[in-house]
Amino acid sequence: MSDSIAQLFDGGFRRTLAASEPLFHTGDRIDQMFLVIEGQIGLIRQTSMGTELRLQAARRGQVVAEASAYSDVYHCDARANANSTICCIPVVTFRSRLNGNQGAADAWAAYLARAVQSARTGAEIRTLRTVAERLDAWLGESRTMPEKGTWTELAAELGVSREALYRELGKRRRGIRAEPSA
């Protein structure tokens, strides 16, 4: 995160959330912007079939629900994936600061572009057929395996069950690699 974006949150108030505590719900009016200071905030949307889709996992230095700066209501739910601290400022203050600072506006545009690129990469990875292919593609983005306690989050990011991810990791530990099918 650039200093320009962090400065947009100067003077904001801090709020702590316990793991699983909601930050906002679908349909809530947008009046705040949120920057993650510690922990992780997840954006989730429920499909009409009841499936939970993970849209974002905002970590330290990331803005939660970036597009909410330009909307009236939230189109998803947000909840803490872990004990978290966020910095909050009114959305009108956020927009005003962008309008009054070309450097911050440029940094924000670049931040949004990276968020779109990341979302597209995630969508591409989730279209791959096997857990092994998805994990390989994810690791191919210059990422390293997260610590064991966060594998459930990785499974959600890959769009697979945690059990399927654990089986794949077990195969890799044992040196078993699935051959691609023709």
Side-chain angles (χ1 to χ4, degrees):
M1 157 103 19
S2 77
D3 288 340
S4 296
I5 293 174
Q7 289 173 356
L8 291 169
F9 289 85
D10 281 353
F13 69 94
R14 288 187 180 219
R15 178 176 168 195
T16 58
L17 296 120
S20 299
E21 184 177 345
L23 177 59
F24 55 77
H25 298 284
T26 303
D28 285 353
R29 222 166 140 63
I30 297 169
D31 59 359
Q32 299 285 316
M33 292 295 293
F34 308 102
L35 176 70
V36 178
I37 305 300
E38 292 292 333
Q40 185 183 95
I41 306 293
L43 291 186
I44 301 103
R45 183 175 294 155
Q46 296 286 332
T47 68
S48 59
M49 302 297 288
T51 303
E52 195 174 271
L53 295 177
R54 181 180 150 211
L55 305 175
Q56 181 189 28
R59 294 171 175 88
R60 181 184 190 141
Q62 294 182 315
V63 177
V64 178
E66 306 96 333
S68 63
Y70 310 103
S71 188
D72 294 326
V73 297
Y74 292 108
H75 296 95
C76 56
D77 297 333
R79 69 174 174 243
N81 292 338
N83 292 337
S84 301
T85 303
I86 55 173
C87 184
C88 315
I89 62 166
V91 70
V92 294
T93 301
F94 184 84
R95 289 181 190 160
S96 175
R97 289 178 178 178
L98 283 176
N99 289 334
N101 182 331
Q102 187 61 50
D106 290 344
W108 181 242
Y111 181 84
L112 292 176
R114 285 189 302 277
V116 168
Q117 291 167 340
S118 178
R120 288 178 178 163
T121 298
E124 181 181 339
I125 287 171
R126 286 186 297 279
T127 65
L128 297 173
R129 208 176 99 258
T130 67
V131 176
E133 290 171 338
R134 291 179 187 196
L135 183 56
D136 286 343
W138 188 85
L139 290 168
E141 291 293 315
S142 300
R143 297 180 177 143
T144 58
M145 276 302 295
E147 294 189 26
K148 192 173 186 176
T150 60
W151 289 353
T152 298
E153 283 302 312
L154 175 56
E157 189 169 337
L158 296 176
V160 301
S161 70
R162 70 175 188 226
E163 294 81 7
L165 178 61
Y166 294 169
R167 282 191 299 273
E168 176 59 27
L169 293 174
K171 288 178 188 175
R172 289 174 185 228
R173 259 193 318 275
R174 294 186 306 274
I176 302 169
R177 293 289 297 191
E179 293 299 320
S181 55

